[in-house]
Amino acid sequence: HHFADDTRTHSAVPKHEDPTQASLSLQMDPLKIEKWSDAWMINFNASKTKELLITRSKVPREHPSFIFKNEAIKRVDELRLLGIHLSTDLSWNNHLDRVRTSCARKLGVTLRCKNLLPSSSIIPLYKSCIKPIAEYGCPLFAGAPKTLLAPLQKIQNRANRAGCASTQELLQPLNERFDASSMGVFYKYMNSAPPDELSRIVPPFVQPTRQTRRHTARSNYRKEDAPKAEYLRNSFIRRCTSIWIDLPGDIIPANPSVDTFKRRFNRHLK
């Protein structure tokens, strides 16, 4: 995967496969990059290259180290990917702690200037400077434990108390914002061809057995048995699939439109 001047490669190793063979296969990517850089006389900083081993196993299997530019790639417990901090166990503790700290710091600066600003400017400042930080990448972590998301809601509540004169001006709760954003992304996947990596994990379409208004409004997804692990039940695909199945049929626009769908979905939440 490429983004600007960053390149990332990955490989999934099922339990029944030998991690050594998978590592040898993945090692070919750094070798190709190294040969390409030598041919075009481009230098890469090998010390900035990191390896993240993602596993939920209590006793992780041994995986050989990777080599790049004759240096062993450093294995880390956390990796920043396009502003999202991924941990080796796919928990959101560290990422949401950073988001909370950043939002709290910016709101603190705003409130210290409260005496110099009209109260009506607090909410616009929050929406422009703080809310984008709190909601960035939220479809990924919207299913995180409530104890991790609650501090972000407390920060928004402080902004509400400082800048709102009536309940009509209160900001929409973050859990509703997160759900609306998640379903907006999910709706795009429903109405366009998703990437191969995503299409393999999205539950398949099934034909409805009852021709009711709700069922004919859209094709339902199969309700599969819920996994025992909470982090799997609250993952993006399973959580959004569950919400999608329970939506009233009139929320789905006849002509595909993300804006129309999100507007109707927000009304449904209220």
Side-chain angles (χ1 to χ4, degrees):
H1 301 281
H2 304 275
F3 182 81
D5 59 345
D6 289 341
T7 301
R8 290 173 174 84
T9 182
H10 64 88
S11 177
V13 185
K15 292 182 178 180
H16 62 273
E17 290 189 6
D18 183 10
T20 302
Q21 294 298 324
S23 298
L24 291 176
S25 177
L26 193 59
Q27 176 65 57
M28 298 303 297
D29 293 329
L31 291 177
K32 292 178 181 178
I33 295 174
E34 188 173 342
K35 290 181 179 180
W36 179 87
S37 65
D38 292 339
W40 289 92
M41 294 182 290
I42 297 176
N43 293 324
F44 286 94
N45 190 343
S47 62
K48 291 185 177 180
T49 305
K50 309 296 181 185
E51 173 195 354
L52 180 68
L53 177 62
I54 298 177
T55 177
R56 300 283 298 192
S57 175
K58 295 181 180 179
V59 184
R61 294 184 294 174
E62 289 293 332
H63 290 255
S65 300
F66 296 99
I67 305 297
F68 182 56
K69 292 288 185 179
N70 296 323
E71 295 184 22
I73 297 178
K74 182 180 179 181
R75 183 172 294 176
V76 296
D77 296 328
E78 184 180 271
L79 189 67
R80 188 172 184 267
L81 179 60
L82 300 181
I84 302 295
H85 292 84
L86 301 177
S87 63
T88 186
D89 60 351
L90 291 182
S91 65
W92 294 107
N93 301 56
N94 294 338
H95 176 76
L96 290 176
D97 185 62
R98 285 184 169 86
V99 173
R100 177 192 59 80
T101 301
S102 179
C103 292
R105 185 183 297 116
K106 290 181 180 294
L107 181 61
V109 172
T110 303
L111 295 183
R112 280 195 291 272
C113 301
K114 184 178 178 181
N115 294 332
L116 305 176
L117 301 171
S119 58
S120 58
S121 65
I122 300 297
I123 296 301
L125 284 173
Y126 177 89
K127 289 182 177 180
S128 61
C129 300
I130 302 172
K131 192 176 75 168
I133 299 174
E135 296 184 4
Y136 177 76
C138 63
L140 293 173
F141 59 78
K146 294 181 179 179
T147 53
L148 297 179
L149 299 175
L152 293 178
Q153 184 60 54
K154 289 182 180 179
I155 293 173
Q156 179 169 291
N157 292 342
R158 288 180 60 195
N160 275 330
R161 291 192 297 268
C164 290
S166 65
T167 55
Q168 294 181 351
E169 300 174 0
L170 292 176
L171 294 163
Q172 186 179 15
L174 281 179
N175 65 314
E176 295 183 3
R177 294 280 304 172
F178 291 170
D179 284 345
S181 181
S182 300
M183 293 307 297
V185 174
F186 191 75
Y187 180 79
K188 292 179 183 179
Y189 291 148
M190 291 288 295
N191 289 275
S192 61
D196 291 339
E197 295 175 348
L198 182 64
S199 61
R200 287 196 295 266
I201 61 177
V202 173
F205 284 110
V206 294
Q207 293 296 329
T209 56
R210 298 175 57 199
Q211 297 299 321
T212 63
R213 178 181 177 184
R214 177 182 177 185
H215 286 82
T216 55
R218 72 213 186 298
S219 296
N220 260 336
Y221 273 121
R222 180 179 301 159
K223 271 195 173 180
E224 298 178 343
D225 294 335
K228 294 181 180 180
E230 183 178 2
Y231 77 95
L232 289 177
R233 293 196 303 270
N234 293 328
S235 62
F236 171 77
I237 294 296
R238 290 187 178 274
R239 188 173 58 84
C240 290
T241 299
S242 178
I243 296 174
W244 176 268
I245 290 174
D246 294 331
L247 286 179
D250 56 359
I251 290 183
I252 314 299
N255 298 318
S257 170
V258 177
D259 292 336
T260 302
F261 171 77
K262 293 181 72 173
R263 185 167 57 251
R264 293 179 181 180
F265 184 79
N266 278 314
R267 286 203 302 264
H268 168 70
L269 292 176
K270 297 177 181 180

